């Protein structure tokens, strides 16, 4: 993915001299290259002083894909505030097919001898700058021309006004300012009456695509099915390619995923599809476009800039059937079933996943890094874990071991999805109704009050089948939020244990080839933080494989449950640590949020929709802490859940980011 603002980022690292440019360059005082009749090839035209038609714009503009779904023609401009022409500044509309960066153009044409960081600092960060550097783009979906600055540009209101006035005198069409950061949004709002703007919410960008956005590039063959919405009764066969009219909260393994309304790439369903290697995309009106193919075998391929969905050929269908019939040797995750000590997070390390599951053990690793100073300015809420040992003892004491073995070996259970779903629900009910060992209950209650007092706690799953290579297990198991009294805590522990047998979890493990009899749940009991904002992030840019150094952040007000559900688009940012700039993709439009209920659990309340979720300062601190966490896990990209209260950041999960 390339966007006009993304091009500016490279400037920060660009220390290239102008030696690559031809010595035929003009020096100040010579004829404008755009007016030199001897230059008939557009590649030799270095700039124009005016753009008087769409043809002239196209002759200088370059095209990149923005968000992988539509072309974005754009060209750079340079305004020289020190070289007055008549009553205004001199404008250079740069041949952006020839020059990649503003600095490259300025050096090659002897406008300045400043290079590298000196040029960057003086012309992007200072108010009293000589050059104003920006881009004009034709917004294909909006049908308007916009001008914009790099997201880290500290342009003042006066610079914005001056840019609008200067460009307006020499550009043939109306222009709208497109802010690329929270700061630029604020500056634009200050002078809304003077400079018309076109905010990201009105432009089909990464977080709000037009007709198509690939969420996972892959190919598959399966039976096409259209689903209005997922319910508890919905059963999806593993050989299906499903078109969802409403983004699913959870999902069982299938061959392909198509949504007709966009959800965040970090929604659990999208992460699961990526882990399964299934083609996954947003396609506008897919339910209407492909209704004639419903119930038929189809070939589905997603690429960054296009997709293919057509009837499958006979040989493709046969090969897909052979692949589905193949099963690799069952994967048996490691588990220590002898260790029974209730253990604080601060005493856990990543290697302890064999006792407490990856979620809990990884949080212990983050807490260690925080205490050592390797990760700064964040807090991991305190808590403790109930190891696998106590689940196995509960199963034995309630005589559930034999029913589980019988169920897993039942032929109808293995071949009838509806019957399988029914039997799993019956097993969960037996676990929920089981009797807890009294000694165990007293020990858990005592440890809860000793470490966490009477505060509400989150009772969270942490299994040994999560965060395996190429299998994240995101969203498969159950979390019980804001548990307040001791009786509710006991019931919540059984709820988490029972979720090992969630239908979605079973189907995901089955598809991946995990031995169900070797999967065990631990329980993480952690101090509940009543978040003002919450979300998820990954320590890479999922939209641009070349932008590995950036951090993608999802954020919503209140508790973060809806972020991972993926039903509502959150605030989305791309943070570049080299420049410290946060590029705004979308703003959250939620008018409600989830907060703690004083009696336990959560409730929904109305909120102000005008206020943004994260300030630039908090986004920077959050992204920098995330990169420190990434280093604590050996440099592997991380999928991190976080919450904030005021300026304080809390980390509540870190797992490897699975990308195929």
């Amino acid at each position: 993915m390339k966007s006009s603002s993304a091009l500016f980022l490279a400037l920060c690292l660009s220390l290239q001299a102008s030696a690559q440019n031809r010595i035929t360059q003009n020096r100040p005082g010579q004829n404008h290259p755009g007016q030199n009749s001897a230059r008939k090839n557009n590649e030799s035209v270095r700039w124009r002083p005016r753009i008087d038609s769409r043809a002239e714009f196209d002759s200088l503009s370059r095209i990149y894909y923005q968000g992988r779904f539509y072309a974005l023609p754009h060209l750079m401009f340079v305004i020289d505030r020190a070289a007055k022409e008549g009553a205004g500044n001199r404008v250079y509309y740069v041949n952006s097919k020839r020059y990649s960066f503003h600095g490259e153009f300025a050096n090659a044409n002897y406008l300045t001898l400043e290079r590298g960081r000196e040029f960057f600092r003086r012309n992007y960060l200072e108010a009293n700058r000589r050059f104003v550097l920006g881009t004009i783009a034709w917004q294909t979906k909006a049908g308007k021309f916009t001008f914009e600055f790099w997201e880290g540009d500290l342009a003042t209101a006066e610079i914005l006004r001056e840019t609008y006035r200067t460009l307006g005198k020499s550009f043939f069409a109306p222009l709208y300012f497109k802010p690329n950061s929270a700061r630029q949004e604020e500056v634009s709002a200050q002078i809304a009456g003077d400079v018309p703007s076109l905010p990201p919410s009105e432009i089909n960008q990464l977080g709000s695509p037009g007709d198509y956005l690939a969420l996972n590039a892959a190919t598959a063959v399966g039976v096409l099915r259209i689903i209005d919405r997922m319910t508890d009764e919905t059963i999806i066969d593993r050989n299906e390619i499903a078109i969802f009219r409403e983004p699913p909260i959870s999902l069982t393994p299938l061959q392909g995923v198509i949504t007709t309304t966009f959800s965040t790439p970090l929604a659990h369903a999208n992460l699961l599809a990526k882990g399964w290697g299934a083609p996954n995309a947003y396609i506008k009106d897919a339910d209407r476009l492909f209704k004639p193919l419903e119930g038929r075998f189809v070939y589905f391929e997603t690429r960054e800039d296009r997709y293919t969905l057509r009837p499958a050929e006979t040989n493709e269908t046969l090969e897909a059937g052979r692949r589905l019939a193949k099963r690799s040797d069952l994967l048996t995750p490691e588990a220590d079933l002898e260790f029974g000590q209730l253990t604080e997070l601060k005493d856990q390390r990543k290697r302890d996943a064999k006792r407490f599951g990856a979620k809990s053990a990884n949080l212990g690793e983050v807490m260690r890094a925080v205490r050592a100073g390797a990760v700064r300015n964040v807090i991991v809420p305190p808590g403790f874990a109930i190891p696998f040992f106590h689940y196995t003892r509960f199963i034995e004491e309630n005589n559930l071991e034999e029913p589980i073995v019988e169920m897993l070996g039942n032929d109808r259970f293995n071949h009838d999805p509806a019957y399988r779903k029914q039997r799993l629900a019956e097993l969960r009910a037996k676990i929920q109704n089981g009797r807890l060992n009294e000694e165990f209950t007293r020990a858990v209650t005592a440890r809860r009050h000793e470490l966490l007092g009477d505060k509400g706690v989150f009772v969270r799953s942490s299994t040994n089948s999560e965060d395996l290579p190429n299998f994240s297990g995101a969203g498969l198991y159950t979390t019980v939020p804001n548990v307040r009294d001791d009786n509710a805590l006991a019931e919540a522990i059984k709820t988490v244990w029972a979720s090992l047998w969630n239908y979605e979890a079973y189907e995901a493990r089955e598809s991946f080839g995990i031995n169900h009899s070797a999967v065990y749940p631990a329980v993480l009991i952690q101090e509940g933080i009543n978040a003002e904002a919450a979300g998820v992030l990954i320590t890479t840019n999922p939209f641009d494989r070349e932008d590995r150094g950036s951090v993608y952040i999802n954020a919503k007000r209140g508790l973060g449950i809806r972020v991972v559900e993926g039903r509502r688009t959150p605030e989305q940012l791309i943070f570049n640590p080299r420049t410290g700039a946060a590029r705004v993709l979308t703003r959250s439009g939620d008018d409600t949020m989830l907060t703690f209920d004083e009696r336990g659990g959560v409730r929904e309340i109305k909120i102000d929709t005008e206020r943004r979720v994260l300030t630039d300062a908090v986004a920077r601190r959050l992204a920098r802490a995330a990169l420190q966490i990434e280093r604590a896990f050996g440099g592997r990209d991380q999928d991190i859940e976080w919450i904030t209260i005021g300026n304080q950041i809390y980390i509540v999960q870190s797992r490897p980011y699975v990308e195929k």
Side-chain angles (χ1 to χ4, degrees), residues 527-575:
E527 178 184 334
I529 305 297
N530 195 16
E532 293 177 0
V536 292
L537 63 81
I538 54 176
T539 55
T540 187
N541 183 345
F543 299 108
D544 187 350
R545 292 186 177 94
E546 297 178 1
D547 188 21
R548 290 299 187 190
S550 291
V551 176
Y552 172 58
I553 304 173
N554 281 355
K556 283 205 170 185
R557 299 176 186 87
L559 300 172
I561 297 171
R562 283 179 172 160
V563 177
V564 294
E565 282 181 354
R567 286 203 169 169
R568 302 184 186 183
T569 301
E571 181 169 285
Q572 298 179 87
L573 309 170
I574 297 287
F575 177 83

Short mmCIF file of all heavy atoms in Angstrom, two decimals, residues 527-575:
data_model
loop_
_atom_site.label_atom_id
_atom_site.label_comp_id
_atom_site.label_asym_id
_atom_site.label_seq_id
_atom_site.Cartn_x
_atom_site.Cartn_y
_atom_site.Cartn_z
N GLU A 527 -6.93 -8.10 38.32
CA GLU A 527 -7.62 -6.87 38.73
C GLU A 527 -8.33 -6.25 37.53
O GLU A 527 -7.74 -6.06 36.46
CB GLU A 527 -6.64 -5.87 39.31
CG GLU A 527 -7.28 -4.54 39.70
CD GLU A 527 -6.27 -3.51 40.18
OE1 GLU A 527 -5.19 -3.91 40.68
OE2 GLU A 527 -6.55 -2.30 40.04
N GLY A 528 -9.61 -5.92 37.69
CA GLY A 528 -10.37 -5.30 36.63
C GLY A 528 -10.11 -3.80 36.57
O GLY A 528 -10.18 -3.12 37.59
N ILE A 529 -9.81 -3.30 35.39
CA ILE A 529 -9.59 -1.87 35.19
C ILE A 529 -10.76 -1.34 34.36
O ILE A 529 -11.00 -1.80 33.24
CB ILE A 529 -8.27 -1.61 34.44
CG1 ILE A 529 -7.08 -2.27 35.17
CG2 ILE A 529 -8.05 -0.11 34.28
CD1 ILE A 529 -6.84 -1.72 36.57
N ASN A 530 -11.50 -0.39 34.93
CA ASN A 530 -12.67 0.17 34.25
C ASN A 530 -12.20 1.20 33.22
O ASN A 530 -12.12 2.40 33.49
CB ASN A 530 -13.63 0.79 35.26
CG ASN A 530 -15.00 1.05 34.66
OD1 ASN A 530 -15.33 0.52 33.61
ND2 ASN A 530 -15.79 1.87 35.32
N ALA A 531 -11.91 0.72 32.05
CA ALA A 531 -11.20 1.52 31.05
C ALA A 531 -12.01 2.71 30.56
O ALA A 531 -13.21 2.62 30.34
CB ALA A 531 -10.85 0.63 29.86
N GLU A 532 -11.30 3.84 30.39
CA GLU A 532 -11.87 4.97 29.67
C GLU A 532 -11.73 4.74 28.16
O GLU A 532 -12.56 5.19 27.37
CB GLU A 532 -11.15 6.26 30.07
CG GLU A 532 -11.40 6.66 31.52
CD GLU A 532 -10.62 7.90 31.90
OE1 GLU A 532 -9.89 8.45 31.04
OE2 GLU A 532 -10.72 8.34 33.06
N ALA A 533 -10.65 4.06 27.76
CA ALA A 533 -10.44 3.69 26.36
C ALA A 533 -9.73 2.35 26.35
O ALA A 533 -9.01 2.00 27.29
CB ALA A 533 -9.62 4.74 25.62
N ALA A 534 -9.94 1.61 25.29
CA ALA A 534 -9.33 0.29 25.20
C ALA A 534 -9.21 -0.09 23.74
O ALA A 534 -9.85 0.50 22.86
CB ALA A 534 -10.16 -0.75 25.96
N GLY A 535 -8.38 -1.08 23.49
CA GLY A 535 -8.24 -1.53 22.11
C GLY A 535 -7.17 -2.56 21.94
O GLY A 535 -6.65 -3.14 22.90
N VAL A 536 -6.82 -2.77 20.69
CA VAL A 536 -5.78 -3.71 20.33
C VAL A 536 -4.82 -3.01 19.38
O VAL A 536 -5.19 -2.03 18.72
CB VAL A 536 -6.35 -4.98 19.68
CG1 VAL A 536 -7.14 -5.80 20.67
CG2 VAL A 536 -7.22 -4.63 18.47
N LEU A 537 -3.60 -3.51 19.31
CA LEU A 537 -2.63 -2.99 18.36
C LEU A 537 -1.74 -4.12 17.90
O LEU A 537 -1.65 -5.16 18.57
CB LEU A 537 -1.81 -1.84 18.96
CG LEU A 537 -0.91 -2.13 20.16
CD1 LEU A 537 0.42 -2.77 19.76
CD2 LEU A 537 -0.63 -0.85 20.94
N ILE A 538 -1.11 -3.93 16.77
CA ILE A 538 -0.06 -4.85 16.36
C ILE A 538 1.17 -4.04 15.99
O ILE A 538 1.07 -2.90 15.53
CB ILE A 538 -0.49 -5.74 15.18
CG1 ILE A 538 -1.00 -4.91 14.01
CG2 ILE A 538 -1.50 -6.77 15.62
CD1 ILE A 538 -1.35 -5.75 12.80
N THR A 539 2.34 -4.64 16.20
CA THR A 539 3.59 -3.91 16.02
C THR A 539 4.09 -4.01 14.59
O THR A 539 5.28 -4.23 14.34
CB THR A 539 4.64 -4.42 17.01
OG1 THR A 539 4.79 -5.84 16.84
CG2 THR A 539 4.25 -4.12 18.44
N THR A 540 3.17 -3.84 13.64
CA THR A 540 3.49 -3.75 12.24
C THR A 540 2.30 -3.10 11.55
O THR A 540 1.25 -2.90 12.17
CB THR A 540 3.80 -5.13 11.62
OG1 THR A 540 4.27 -4.97 10.29
CG2 THR A 540 2.56 -6.01 11.62
N ASN A 541 2.46 -2.75 10.29
CA ASN A 541 1.37 -2.15 9.52
C ASN A 541 0.72 -3.23 8.66
O ASN A 541 1.31 -3.69 7.68
CB ASN A 541 1.94 -1.04 8.62
CG ASN A 541 0.86 -0.30 7.84
OD1 ASN A 541 -0.27 -0.76 7.74
ND2 ASN A 541 1.21 0.84 7.29
N PRO A 542 -0.49 -3.69 9.00
CA PRO A 542 -1.10 -4.79 8.25
C PRO A 542 -1.51 -4.41 6.84
O PRO A 542 -1.78 -5.29 6.02
CB PRO A 542 -2.33 -5.14 9.10
CG PRO A 542 -2.70 -3.85 9.77
CD PRO A 542 -1.39 -3.17 10.05
N PHE A 543 -1.56 -3.10 6.53
CA PHE A 543 -1.96 -2.65 5.21
C PHE A 543 -0.78 -2.55 4.24
O PHE A 543 -0.98 -2.44 3.05
CB PHE A 543 -2.62 -1.27 5.31
CG PHE A 543 -3.86 -1.26 6.14
CD1 PHE A 543 -3.87 -0.65 7.38
CD2 PHE A 543 -5.02 -1.85 5.69
CE1 PHE A 543 -5.02 -0.64 8.14
CE2 PHE A 543 -6.17 -1.84 6.45
CZ PHE A 543 -6.17 -1.23 7.68
N ASP A 544 0.43 -2.54 4.76
CA ASP A 544 1.59 -2.27 3.92
C ASP A 544 2.75 -3.14 4.39
O ASP A 544 3.37 -2.87 5.42
CB ASP A 544 1.97 -0.79 4.01
CG ASP A 544 3.07 -0.40 3.02
OD1 ASP A 544 3.65 -1.31 2.40
OD2 ASP A 544 3.34 0.81 2.88
N ARG A 545 3.06 -4.17 3.65
CA ARG A 545 4.11 -5.10 4.05
C ARG A 545 5.49 -4.45 4.08
O ARG A 545 6.42 -4.97 4.67
CB ARG A 545 4.12 -6.31 3.12
CG ARG A 545 2.89 -7.20 3.26
CD ARG A 545 3.04 -8.46 2.42
NE ARG A 545 1.91 -9.35 2.61
CZ ARG A 545 0.84 -9.36 1.84
NH1 ARG A 545 0.75 -8.51 0.84
NH2 ARG A 545 -0.15 -10.20 2.07
N GLU A 546 5.63 -3.31 3.37
CA GLU A 546 6.92 -2.63 3.36
C GLU A 546 7.09 -1.70 4.56
O GLU A 546 8.17 -1.20 4.80
CB GLU A 546 7.06 -1.83 2.06
CG GLU A 546 7.07 -2.72 0.80
CD GLU A 546 7.16 -1.89 -0.46
OE1 GLU A 546 7.24 -0.64 -0.35
OE2 GLU A 546 7.16 -2.48 -1.55
N ASP A 547 6.04 -1.48 5.30
CA ASP A 547 6.08 -0.54 6.43
C ASP A 547 6.12 -1.32 7.74
O ASP A 547 5.25 -1.14 8.60
CB ASP A 547 4.87 0.39 6.36
CG ASP A 547 4.94 1.51 7.39
OD1 ASP A 547 6.05 1.81 7.85
OD2 ASP A 547 3.88 2.06 7.73
N ARG A 548 7.09 -2.18 7.90
CA ARG A 548 7.14 -3.06 9.06
C ARG A 548 7.45 -2.31 10.35
O ARG A 548 7.17 -2.81 11.43
CB ARG A 548 8.21 -4.14 8.85
CG ARG A 548 7.81 -5.17 7.80
CD ARG A 548 6.55 -5.88 8.18
NE ARG A 548 6.22 -6.98 7.30
CZ ARG A 548 5.09 -7.63 7.31
NH1 ARG A 548 4.13 -7.27 8.13
NH2 ARG A 548 4.86 -8.63 6.49
N GLY A 549 8.03 -1.14 10.26
CA GLY A 549 8.42 -0.44 11.47
C GLY A 549 7.30 0.30 12.17
O GLY A 549 7.48 0.77 13.30
N SER A 550 6.13 0.41 11.54
CA SER A 550 5.04 1.18 12.13
C SER A 550 4.17 0.31 13.04
O SER A 550 4.28 -0.91 13.05
CB SER A 550 4.18 1.80 11.02
OG SER A 550 4.90 2.83 10.36
N VAL A 551 3.30 0.98 13.79
CA VAL A 551 2.40 0.31 14.73
C VAL A 551 0.96 0.68 14.36
O VAL A 551 0.64 1.86 14.18
CB VAL A 551 2.69 0.73 16.18
CG1 VAL A 551 1.70 0.10 17.14
CG2 VAL A 551 4.12 0.35 16.56
N TYR A 552 0.11 -0.33 14.23
CA TYR A 552 -1.30 -0.12 13.90
C TYR A 552 -2.11 -0.21 15.19
O TYR A 552 -2.01 -1.19 15.92
CB TYR A 552 -1.74 -1.19 12.91
CG TYR A 552 -3.22 -1.23 12.62
CD1 TYR A 552 -3.88 -0.12 12.11
CD2 TYR A 552 -3.95 -2.40 12.82
CE1 TYR A 552 -5.24 -0.17 11.83
CE2 TYR A 552 -5.31 -2.46 12.53
CZ TYR A 552 -5.94 -1.34 12.03
OH TYR A 552 -7.28 -1.39 11.76
N ILE A 553 -2.91 0.83 15.47
CA ILE A 553 -3.64 0.93 16.73
C ILE A 553 -5.14 1.03 16.46
O ILE A 553 -5.58 1.86 15.66
CB ILE A 553 -3.18 2.16 17.54
CG1 ILE A 553 -1.67 2.13 17.78
CG2 ILE A 553 -3.93 2.23 18.87
CD1 ILE A 553 -1.13 3.40 18.44
N ASN A 554 -5.90 0.19 17.14
CA ASN A 554 -7.37 0.29 17.18
C ASN A 554 -7.76 0.79 18.56
O ASN A 554 -7.22 0.32 19.57
CB ASN A 554 -8.02 -1.08 16.99
CG ASN A 554 -8.06 -1.49 15.53
OD1 ASN A 554 -7.70 -0.72 14.67
ND2 ASN A 554 -8.48 -2.71 15.28
N ALA A 555 -8.72 1.68 18.63
CA ALA A 555 -9.11 2.23 19.93
C ALA A 555 -10.60 2.54 19.97
O ALA A 555 -11.17 3.01 18.96
CB ALA A 555 -8.31 3.50 20.22
N LYS A 556 -11.21 2.29 21.12
CA LYS A 556 -12.59 2.69 21.37
C LYS A 556 -12.72 3.16 22.81
O LYS A 556 -11.91 2.81 23.67
CB LYS A 556 -13.55 1.53 21.12
CG LYS A 556 -13.80 1.27 19.65
CD LYS A 556 -15.13 0.59 19.46
CE LYS A 556 -15.50 0.57 17.98
NZ LYS A 556 -16.84 0.02 17.77
N ARG A 557 -13.77 3.93 23.07
CA ARG A 557 -14.02 4.37 24.43
C ARG A 557 -14.60 3.22 25.25
O ARG A 557 -15.33 2.39 24.73
CB ARG A 557 -14.99 5.56 24.43
CG ARG A 557 -14.44 6.77 23.68
CD ARG A 557 -15.47 7.90 23.61
NE ARG A 557 -14.99 8.97 22.76
CZ ARG A 557 -15.15 9.03 21.44
NH1 ARG A 557 -15.80 8.06 20.83
NH2 ARG A 557 -14.68 10.03 20.73
N GLY A 558 -14.27 3.22 26.52
CA GLY A 558 -14.79 2.20 27.41
C GLY A 558 -14.04 0.89 27.29
O GLY A 558 -12.91 0.84 26.81
N LEU A 559 -14.67 -0.18 27.76
CA LEU A 559 -14.06 -1.50 27.72
C LEU A 559 -13.87 -1.95 26.27
O LEU A 559 -14.64 -1.57 25.40
CB LEU A 559 -14.92 -2.51 28.48
CG LEU A 559 -15.13 -2.18 29.97
CD1 LEU A 559 -16.15 -3.12 30.59
CD2 LEU A 559 -13.81 -2.26 30.72
N GLY A 560 -12.86 -2.76 26.04
CA GLY A 560 -12.46 -3.07 24.67
C GLY A 560 -13.17 -4.22 24.02
O GLY A 560 -12.74 -4.69 22.98
N ILE A 561 -14.27 -4.71 24.60
CA ILE A 561 -14.93 -5.90 24.08
C ILE A 561 -15.34 -5.70 22.63
O ILE A 561 -15.17 -6.57 21.79
CB ILE A 561 -16.14 -6.26 24.95
CG1 ILE A 561 -15.68 -6.60 26.37
CG2 ILE A 561 -16.93 -7.40 24.34
CD1 ILE A 561 -16.80 -6.77 27.37
N ARG A 562 -15.88 -4.52 22.30
CA ARG A 562 -16.40 -4.32 20.95
C ARG A 562 -15.29 -4.20 19.92
O ARG A 562 -15.52 -4.42 18.74
CB ARG A 562 -17.25 -3.06 20.92
CG ARG A 562 -18.63 -3.30 21.52
CD ARG A 562 -19.44 -2.04 21.48
NE ARG A 562 -20.80 -2.30 21.89
CZ ARG A 562 -21.61 -1.35 22.31
NH1 ARG A 562 -21.20 -0.12 22.39
NH2 ARG A 562 -22.84 -1.65 22.66
N VAL A 563 -14.08 -3.82 20.34
CA VAL A 563 -13.00 -3.72 19.38
C VAL A 563 -12.70 -5.08 18.78
O VAL A 563 -12.59 -5.25 17.57
CB VAL A 563 -11.73 -3.13 20.03
CG1 VAL A 563 -10.59 -3.11 19.04
CG2 VAL A 563 -12.01 -1.73 20.54
N VAL A 564 -12.56 -6.09 19.65
CA VAL A 564 -12.21 -7.41 19.16
C VAL A 564 -13.42 -8.12 18.55
O VAL A 564 -13.26 -9.05 17.77
CB VAL A 564 -11.59 -8.28 20.27
CG1 VAL A 564 -10.27 -7.70 20.69
CG2 VAL A 564 -12.51 -8.42 21.47
N GLU A 565 -14.65 -7.70 18.88
CA GLU A 565 -15.80 -8.27 18.21
C GLU A 565 -15.82 -7.88 16.74
O GLU A 565 -16.21 -8.65 15.88
CB GLU A 565 -17.11 -7.77 18.86
CG GLU A 565 -17.46 -8.47 20.16
CD GLU A 565 -18.76 -7.95 20.73
OE1 GLU A 565 -19.30 -6.98 20.18
OE2 GLU A 565 -19.24 -8.52 21.72
N GLY A 566 -15.39 -6.66 16.46
CA GLY A 566 -15.28 -6.22 15.08
C GLY A 566 -16.56 -5.73 14.44
O GLY A 566 -16.61 -5.52 13.24
N ARG A 567 -17.62 -5.54 15.23
CA ARG A 567 -18.90 -5.13 14.62
C ARG A 567 -18.96 -3.64 14.33
O ARG A 567 -19.76 -3.21 13.52
CB ARG A 567 -20.05 -5.52 15.54
CG ARG A 567 -20.31 -7.02 15.50
CD ARG A 567 -21.71 -7.36 15.91
NE ARG A 567 -22.02 -8.74 15.63
CZ ARG A 567 -23.09 -9.36 16.08
NH1 ARG A 567 -23.95 -8.72 16.84
NH2 ARG A 567 -23.32 -10.62 15.78
N ARG A 568 -18.15 -2.85 15.02
CA ARG A 568 -18.15 -1.42 14.77
C ARG A 568 -16.72 -0.97 14.52
O ARG A 568 -15.80 -1.38 15.20
CB ARG A 568 -18.73 -0.66 15.98
CG ARG A 568 -20.14 -1.10 16.33
CD ARG A 568 -20.71 -0.27 17.45
NE ARG A 568 -22.00 -0.78 17.89
CZ ARG A 568 -22.73 -0.21 18.83
NH1 ARG A 568 -22.32 0.87 19.43
NH2 ARG A 568 -23.90 -0.73 19.18
N THR A 569 -16.55 -0.12 13.52
CA THR A 569 -15.22 0.33 13.17
C THR A 569 -14.68 1.24 14.27
O THR A 569 -15.32 2.22 14.64
CB THR A 569 -15.23 1.09 11.84
OG1 THR A 569 -15.74 0.23 10.82
CG2 THR A 569 -13.83 1.53 11.47
N PRO A 570 -13.50 0.95 14.81
CA PRO A 570 -12.93 1.78 15.87
C PRO A 570 -12.14 2.95 15.29
O PRO A 570 -12.02 3.10 14.07
CB PRO A 570 -11.99 0.81 16.59
CG PRO A 570 -11.50 -0.07 15.48
CD PRO A 570 -12.67 -0.22 14.53
N GLU A 571 -11.61 3.77 16.18
CA GLU A 571 -10.61 4.74 15.77
C GLU A 571 -9.37 3.95 15.36
O GLU A 571 -8.95 3.02 16.05
CB GLU A 571 -10.29 5.68 16.93
CG GLU A 571 -9.26 6.74 16.59
CD GLU A 571 -9.18 7.80 17.69
OE1 GLU A 571 -10.09 8.64 17.77
OE2 GLU A 571 -8.22 7.74 18.48
N GLN A 572 -8.79 4.31 14.21
CA GLN A 572 -7.62 3.59 13.72
C GLN A 572 -6.50 4.57 13.41
O GLN A 572 -6.73 5.60 12.77
CB GLN A 572 -7.97 2.79 12.46
CG GLN A 572 -9.03 1.73 12.68
CD GLN A 572 -9.36 0.99 11.40
OE1 GLN A 572 -8.71 0.02 11.06
NE2 GLN A 572 -10.36 1.46 10.68
N LEU A 573 -5.31 4.21 13.83
CA LEU A 573 -4.14 5.05 13.65
C LEU A 573 -2.97 4.20 13.16
O LEU A 573 -2.87 3.02 13.49
CB LEU A 573 -3.71 5.73 14.96
CG LEU A 573 -4.75 6.48 15.77
CD1 LEU A 573 -4.18 6.86 17.13
CD2 LEU A 573 -5.19 7.74 15.03
N ILE A 574 -2.10 4.81 12.36
CA ILE A 574 -0.80 4.21 12.04
C ILE A 574 0.26 5.13 12.65
O ILE A 574 0.34 6.31 12.30
CB ILE A 574 -0.57 4.11 10.53
CG1 ILE A 574 -1.61 3.19 9.89
CG2 ILE A 574 0.84 3.59 10.25
CD1 ILE A 574 -1.41 1.72 10.18
N PHE A 575 1.05 4.58 13.57
CA PHE A 575 2.09 5.37 14.24
C PHE A 575 3.44 5.00 13.66
O PHE A 575 3.80 3.82 13.59
CB PHE A 575 2.08 5.11 15.74
CG PHE A 575 3.17 5.83 16.49
CD1 PHE A 575 3.00 7.15 16.87
CD2 PHE A 575 4.37 5.21 16.79
CE1 PHE A 575 4.00 7.83 17.54
CE2 PHE A 575 5.37 5.87 17.47
CZ PHE A 575 5.19 7.20 17.84
#
